[in-house]
Amino acid sequence: MQQQSKSMAERQHHAPIAEAMKTYAADGALAFHTPGHKQGLGAHPLLRELITAQGLREEVSLMEELDDFHEPQTCIREAQELAADLYGADHAFFSINGTTGAIHAMMLGTLRPGDTVLVPRNAHRSVVGGLILAGAVPVYIQPEIDRRLGIPMGLRLSDIRRAAEAHPEARALLAVYPTYYGVTVDLRAIADFLHARGMLLLVDEAHGPHLRFCTGLPPQALDCGADVVAESTHKIVGSMTQTSMLFTKGPRVDAERVRQAASLVQSTSPNQLLLASLDIARLQLAEDGERLVGRAVHLAEKLREAVQAIDGLGCLEAEDMQSEGASGLDTTKLTVTVTGLGLTGTEAEHILRYEEKIQCELSDPQNVLFILSYADTEETCRRLLEALRHLAAHRRPLAAAVDCFAELPLPERAMTPREAFFAAAESVPFAEAEGRVAAEQVMFYPPGIPLLAPGERITRRVMDYIRSRQAIGLKISGPEDVNLKKIKVIRGNS
């Protein structure tokens, strides 16, 4: 392999995929192969505006010099080895189908049809997709709830223990760490408990690819004993949207089976620009990750202190993380509570977007969430702080609190997600769906946490909960009818 004789530390300072692409483009071979734009020669002017001429010349794949994504032996293999080394994993697998694809590969590569898996109720919709593909059976666990903010936190070890004891056949726990809001738990204690029972710890760490690079942040999942971890490299660090990484560590997982599973759910015509962006993001972290992530943490802490001083606003603080289900916080996630202004989170998002030209990551009934990254500066933080001060001028009489996540019961499962996905379905008026079994997912996006998943019985409580959030303007995702006047249910099942 290229540069095999160099130490791993030395190899971290080059980008093998990006370098191979540049070398191929410079060789000048006339293209009689895919893609159809022929290295930019036939590209529409709008495409040329989107991608540089050099990028179009390098946007080829499946050439011998550029390696085989599904059976990597040269530059892609080296790039994945460098990523595994940087993150302290045994193996790394690049994903060009986002963290959704990585989570599907993680579940397909570790679970078998009929396996029971413990799942937090605040898991992302991709986990339901993984359950359908793998044929696994979920046992949901309610996360701890912050009733002040109305948001889900992490899983308590005591609740995991009860669920595992009630389901001794459980093969794995799929944890969300950190949560969308940056909350973490004592994952090492959870890993030790699971491993003592012969169970796997699978982790959706979509929002944590930067944790390893700052000691002021909670530890990354791999360093806490996780067996397989999916990370969204594009969400927080520097790769292109749709690119993520999947890591395995330790003897409990068959890494080759995970690789095969990853191959099943990804394109056989990978976009080389996406792969190169993962390679370059890893290079950037290797070269300067501690400084860049440390700067983001510093900026976030200063910003949080300033926001707390604004009358009517509040923030989720690291000092608030003093419970079993919330013991740590990624402070680069800035959750700002706006109920003290008499606003809902969705109203605050609209004001910030259209009056202040500030776009948050998400809003919920009580909060707006902002993500700070290595790209932020004193100036971007100053603009956000100024916008929040202007937002405070929109104060109005306090409204009644919107019903929060705390009251949503765990679902009643009538069928497994896979059984429901393949069952005959019909559409019925949502108002008349109580007691029926859902045949599709219903969620608000972001954060993409299913309130109904295929195979779950529709209750009046869930229906009221969904309607209350529709009423404040949250965006429904998942069902065929996004207005949810109708919903697909299992035919003849009531």
Side-chain angles (χ1 to χ4, degrees):
M1 185 182 301
Q2 185 183 16
Q3 303 197 15
Q4 187 67 51
S5 61
K6 291 187 177 181
S7 71
M8 185 62 78
E10 290 176 304
R11 289 165 59 200
Q12 284 290 353
H13 292 276
H14 87 113
I17 296 176
E19 291 163 11
M21 291 166 61
K22 184 175 292 188
T23 299
Y24 182 85
D27 190 51
L30 186 60
F32 286 96
H33 54 73
T34 60
H37 63 69
K38 297 291 186 75
Q39 296 178 280
L41 294 175
H44 189 280
L46 286 175
L47 184 59
R48 292 178 184 173
E49 289 180 16
L50 287 175
I51 305 176
T52 67
Q54 181 66 21
L56 286 168
R57 280 193 293 272
E58 296 185 20
E59 204 277 288
V60 296
S61 63
L62 308 179
M63 302 301 110
E64 181 180 0
E65 299 96 322
L66 301 181
D67 209 355
D68 182 342
F69 181 46
H70 293 270
E71 299 286 347
Q73 297 298 318
T74 57
C75 63
I76 296 175
R77 178 177 176 179
E78 183 180 6
Q80 292 183 152
E81 288 175 350
L82 290 170
D85 174 70
L86 186 67
Y87 278 91
D90 292 339
H91 302 276
F93 305 100
F94 286 179
S95 173
I96 55 167
N97 193 24
T99 310
T100 292
I103 287 172
H104 291 171
M106 175 168 66
M107 298 175 74
L108 280 169
T110 58
L111 303 173
R112 289 179 168 80
D115 278 354
T116 297
V117 57
L118 308 182
V119 179
R121 187 54 178 159
N122 60 327
H124 186 259
R125 64 184 296 178
S126 57
V127 173
V128 174
L131 292 168
I132 291 169
L133 291 171
V137 181
V139 171
Y140 286 105
I141 305 174
Q142 188 74 278
E144 185 175 298
I145 303 298
D146 185 310
R147 285 176 163 75
R148 177 175 63 93
L149 301 181
I151 61 174
M153 311 298 266
L155 292 182
R156 303 179 184 92
L157 175 56
S158 57
D159 291 333
I160 295 170
R161 183 179 290 112
R162 278 189 288 271
E165 290 171 353
H167 295 274
E169 78 284 2
R171 166 71 175 146
L173 166 73
L174 198 156
V176 178
Y177 176 101
T179 69
Y180 213 141
Y181 295 89
V183 176
T184 63
V185 295
D186 185 352
L187 197 64
R188 167 57 70 182
I190 292 172
D192 290 344
F193 167 76
L194 295 172
H195 292 159
R197 296 180 63 92
M199 295 174 62
L200 296 174
L201 175 56
L202 314 177
V203 180
D204 172 359
E205 197 175 30
H207 286 271
H210 59 306
L211 296 181
R212 183 170 173 82
F213 302 95
C214 182
T215 56
L217 295 176
Q220 68 166 1
L222 283 171
D223 293 336
C224 296
D227 300 293
V228 192
V229 176
E231 290 188 347
S232 288
T233 315
H234 71 93
K235 278 188 169 69
I236 309 298
V237 291
S239 67
M240 292 173 67
T241 298
Q242 196 178 313
T243 59
S244 300
M245 295 190 194
L246 181 64
F247 300 102
T248 68
K249 187 174 184 178
R252 300 175 186 86
V253 173
D254 182 347
E256 174 57 20
R257 185 166 173 242
V258 173
R259 186 198 66 79
Q260 292 175 2
S263 183
L264 283 176
V265 294
Q266 301 202 76
S267 173
T268 52
S269 299
N271 186 306
Q272 207 76 12
L273 298 179
L274 297 181
L275 292 173
S277 78
L278 281 168
D279 191 22
I280 294 168
R282 186 272 316 155
L283 172 65
Q284 185 176 34
L285 290 170
E287 290 179 334
D288 208 17
E290 290 186 10
R291 184 187 69 84
L292 292 173
V293 177
R295 184 182 70 187
V297 170
H298 174 68
L299 290 171
E301 289 172 348
K302 286 180 58 179
L303 182 59
R304 181 175 271 99
E305 182 178 355
V307 173
Q308 289 283 41
I310 300 174
D311 188 29
L313 297 182
C315 295
L316 186 62
E317 297 270 17
E319 292 75 18
D320 297 330
M321 305 292 103
Q322 302 291 330
S323 64
E324 191 182 4
S327 58
L329 182 68
D330 170 10
T331 52
T332 66
K333 309 297 193 303
L334 181 65
T335 301
V336 178
T337 305
V338 298
T339 50
L341 302 178
L343 298 173
T344 65
T346 50
E347 290 171 326
E349 178 181 8
H350 189 273
I351 292 168
L352 289 168
R353 173 64 182 85
Y354 294 103
E355 296 185 23
E356 303 295 335
K357 302 302 181 185
I358 295 287
Q359 180 59 61
C360 64
E361 170 66 16
L362 69 80
S363 63
D364 63 36
Q366 297 172 233
N367 312 283
V368 281
L369 171 65
F370 305 93
I371 294 178
L372 278 78
S373 81
Y374 73 98
D376 282 295
T377 63
E378 294 276 1
E379 174 59 18
T380 63
C381 291
R382 183 198 65 77
R383 284 188 57 195
L384 174 55
L385 180 60
E386 182 180 352
L388 290 171
R389 286 174 174 154
H390 291 167
L391 178 69
H394 289 268
R395 181 187 300 273
R396 67 188 188 196
L398 298 184
V402 177
D403 197 10
C404 73
F405 190 97
E407 303 304 321
L408 185 66
L410 292 174
E412 176 191 341
R413 178 168 53 81
M415 308 170 69
T416 69
R418 184 178 178 87
E419 289 169 341
F421 182 81
F422 288 105
E426 61 184 347
S427 291
V428 300
F430 183 70
E432 301 172 11
E434 183 178 3
R436 301 297 297 272
V437 176
E440 56 186 353
Q441 295 192 67
V442 177
M443 71 208 77
F444 293 98
Y445 211 95
I449 296 171
L451 304 173
L452 282 172
E456 295 177 1
R457 196 168 298 281
I458 301 169
T459 65
R460 176 56 54 185
R461 177 73 191 96
V462 171
M463 294 169 70
D464 291 344
Y465 181 90
I466 291 170
R467 287 304 193 207
S468 71
R469 276 156 168 68
Q470 275 187 297
I472 63 168
L474 292 180
K475 177 180 176 292
I476 279 186
S477 179
E480 180 179 334
D481 178 4
V482 295
N483 296 313
L484 210 57
K485 294 179 181 178
K486 291 187 174 183
I487 186 170
K488 293 175 71 174
V489 299
I490 303 303
R491 184 177 298 165
N493 193 312
S494 61

